[in-house]
Amino acid sequence: MTAKKWTISFLIIILIILTGIAILNVVVDPYGYFDAVDGINTAINDNSYIRVLKGKHIEKFGNNYDAYLLGGSKGGCYTSDKLKELDGYNYYNTYITCGNFEEYYIYAKLIAEETEAKKIIVNLSGFECLFDVRSGIKQQTPAMFTGKSEVAEFISFLFKNPSLSVGEIMNPTFDYRQNDDGSRNLDSLYEKYYQDPDKYVKEECIYDLNKNLKEMFEKAETRTFSSFPNDIKYLRKIVELCEENNIELLVINTATPITSRQSYEGEAYWNFLAQVATVTDYWDFTSYNDINKNPYNFYDDAHAFYEVIDLVVDTINGANSYEGFGKLVTKDNVYEYLQERRADFYELKKEYEETGTITLNGYEHASNLVKKGE
């Protein structure tokens, strides 16, 4: 074989291999990227690159909605039907996993530019302070927001390492498709929960309870976060953006179980909440109330079932409430509120130091909102 023929044969082999990799990655689509680029959810689930889907959906179908919810994974269980009870608006849930304030601003800016939105809800959780620097492909900000080439991004996903696609074929990781309104689909989790709630909570929610409590209480006074100035900066930019575009803004710090606060709860975070109140009023559901102290209300150690989020909406709307769950925080009452929160925290710390744990509410307690048949 001549050198010329050998070179041509080599190039043909490389082309065949690359074509095979591209076809494999498109068909299997392990990142959910190719399903997302048209803005239409065919099979997008929580393990997909949902940042692309949410951005493209807003860009192409934004005027189908009156209002939007922005937030990280804890915002996933706000359904459009429930949010509509607040104001009659048709909502799209734009939650992303491991989101931060800068990304919320990026999506808010897209909404303001591409739609006639009347309202934006920003759902916070405390975890934003941990995600100023993220890792992992599915947590990267898509090219449509960064100014980088979308063509280059598309090509890069065509030729990702095919081992992930092969692994998906060999061991499929099935997950339920997200709902059409952008919210999370929890059908499989409810099914597992109702089979044996006690076992479920033990395995999914409180498996590291005392370890997490130890970290939370020990670091409460020393923990710091470099992200806070940037977080306040982008929150302020969201407020200004909404004011400039005549968009109503509602900020919610959503329900969070006591079992998942080891990475941020403490003095620094409380000071941050005080700063948030100087920028905008917000509803806070993160106090140490009975709802948050009942692990049966959550489908893992960090995220609430629909019933809890529905109560968040009902509380804001004045339709329903639970004692101690939810407070409208303003610059006028924030310091009083945080003093109460601080006192409650150190009361829990005292219990932990004396007993090695804290008392959580059980399945039959009135604070459990997730009971079969109710």
Side-chain angles (χ1 to χ4, degrees):
M1 180 181 290
T2 65
K4 181 178 180 181
K5 288 183 177 179
W6 187 93
T7 300
I8 293 173
S9 297
F10 177 76
L11 291 175
I12 290 174
I13 292 171
I14 294 298
L15 182 61
I16 291 172
I17 292 172
L18 291 175
T19 301
I21 290 173
I23 292 173
L24 178 66
N25 283 336
V26 170
V27 172
V28 179
D29 199 9
Y31 297 100
Y33 176 81
F34 299 105
D35 184 22
V37 290
D38 62 358
I40 300 173
N41 177 7
T42 302
I44 292 292
N45 58 60
D46 285 352
N47 291 318
S48 303
Y49 192 9
I50 59 176
R51 284 168 167 77
V52 174
L53 171 71
K54 299 302 173 77
K56 287 298 182 181
H57 193 82
I58 293 168
E59 188 176 68
K60 296 184 177 183
F61 304 102
N63 283 322
N64 291 348
Y65 308 97
D66 306 304
Y68 292 83
L69 182 134
L70 304 176
S73 58
K74 286 186 177 62
C77 290
Y78 289 88
T79 65
S80 179
D81 286 345
K82 191 63 186 180
L83 288 171
K84 193 171 186 178
E85 295 177 12
L86 286 172
D87 40 42
Y89 293 155
N90 185 27
Y91 279 83
Y92 183 66
N93 189 322
T94 319
Y95 91 91
I96 54 178
T97 54
C98 302
N100 63 29
F101 282 84
E102 182 176 1
E103 284 192 300
Y104 301 163
Y105 169 70
I106 290 172
Y107 280 89
K109 189 170 183 289
L110 178 68
I111 290 167
E113 291 173 348
E114 298 291 336
T115 79
E116 300 296 328
K118 300 174 183 176
K119 187 172 182 177
I120 289 175
I121 297 176
V122 177
N123 186 79
L124 307 178
S125 68
F127 279 80
E128 285 83 9
C129 58
L130 307 177
F131 300 130
D132 54 330
V133 178
R134 300 181 310 278
S135 61
I137 291 174
K138 288 179 280 191
Q139 294 180 17
Q140 293 176 0
T141 304
M144 66 177 291
F145 295 116
T146 64
K148 295 180 181 179
S149 170
E150 292 187 54
V151 173
E153 179 185 70
F154 187 92
I155 293 172
S156 75
F157 276 92
L158 280 177
F159 299 109
K160 293 291 185 189
N161 189 326
S163 62
L164 191 60
S165 291
V166 173
E168 183 65 25
I169 292 173
M170 300 299 292
N171 297 290
T173 54
F174 175 78
D175 199 356
Y176 277 78
R177 172 183 173 274
Q178 283 188 0
N179 298 318
D180 288 334
D181 64 0
S183 64
R184 276 182 153 165
N185 185 327
L186 303 186
D187 287 353
S188 62
L189 299 178
Y190 276 104
E191 181 179 348
K192 184 178 180 181
Y193 172 89
Y194 285 134
Q195 287 175 358
D196 189 336
D198 293 335
K199 180 182 178 183
Y200 181 95
V201 165
K202 184 177 181 179
E203 293 179 350
E204 304 293 338
C205 304
I206 59 173
Y207 54 90
D208 256 347
L209 174 63
N210 291 333
K211 176 185 174 183
N212 292 342
L213 290 174
K214 183 176 186 291
E215 181 179 350
M216 179 176 72
F217 290 127
E218 286 185 349
K219 296 183 178 181
E221 297 177 2
T222 59
R223 184 182 288 112
T224 59
F225 300 96
S226 60
S227 66
F228 282 164
N230 212 44
D231 295 341
I232 292 296
K233 168 188 170 183
Y234 281 103
L235 177 61
R236 197 179 302 277
K237 287 172 76 72
I238 292 172
V239 171
E240 293 171 351
L241 178 75
C242 289
E243 290 175 346
E244 291 168 1
N245 290 275
N246 197 30
I247 298 173
E248 181 184 353
L249 176 65
L250 171 63
V251 177
I252 303 171
N253 199 22
T254 201
T256 304
I258 195 72
T259 53
S260 69
R261 306 187 189 198
Q262 67 276 6
S263 299
Y264 66 89
E265 191 74 40
E267 297 287 348
Y269 180 63
W270 303 332
N271 289 336
F272 173 73
L273 291 180
Q275 293 181 61
V276 171
T278 67
V279 178
T280 182
D281 298 346
Y282 62 96
W283 277 90
D284 193 285
F285 292 88
T286 65
S287 67
Y288 315 111
N289 56 70
D290 280 347
I291 302 293
N292 290 331
K293 289 170 68 178
N294 195 323
Y296 291 86
N297 286 321
F298 300 88
Y299 63 81
D300 59 19
D301 64 340
H303 300 88
F305 278 115
Y306 293 130
E307 288 85 350
V308 177
I309 299 303
D310 287 353
L311 183 59
V312 166
V313 175
D314 284 343
T315 302
I316 294 171
N317 206 26
N320 194 9
S321 63
Y322 189 97
E323 184 177 357
F325 185 67
K327 185 177 182 66
L328 179 60
V329 179
T330 72
K331 62 186 178 186
D332 295 323
N333 68 7
V334 63
Y335 293 105
E336 178 185 356
Y337 172 66
L338 292 176
Q339 284 177 350
E340 294 173 357
R341 183 187 183 112
R342 183 177 286 106
D344 291 342
F345 177 86
Y346 284 107
E347 188 67 27
L348 286 174
K349 183 181 180 184
K350 179 181 178 183
E351 179 185 357
Y352 172 78
E353 291 171 343
E354 292 175 350
T355 67
T357 189
I358 63 171
T359 302
L360 299 177
N361 296 322
Y363 183 84
E364 296 299 335
H365 194 272
S367 62
N368 178 19
L369 306 179
V370 191
K371 295 178 181 177
K372 192 170 185 177
E374 294 187 13

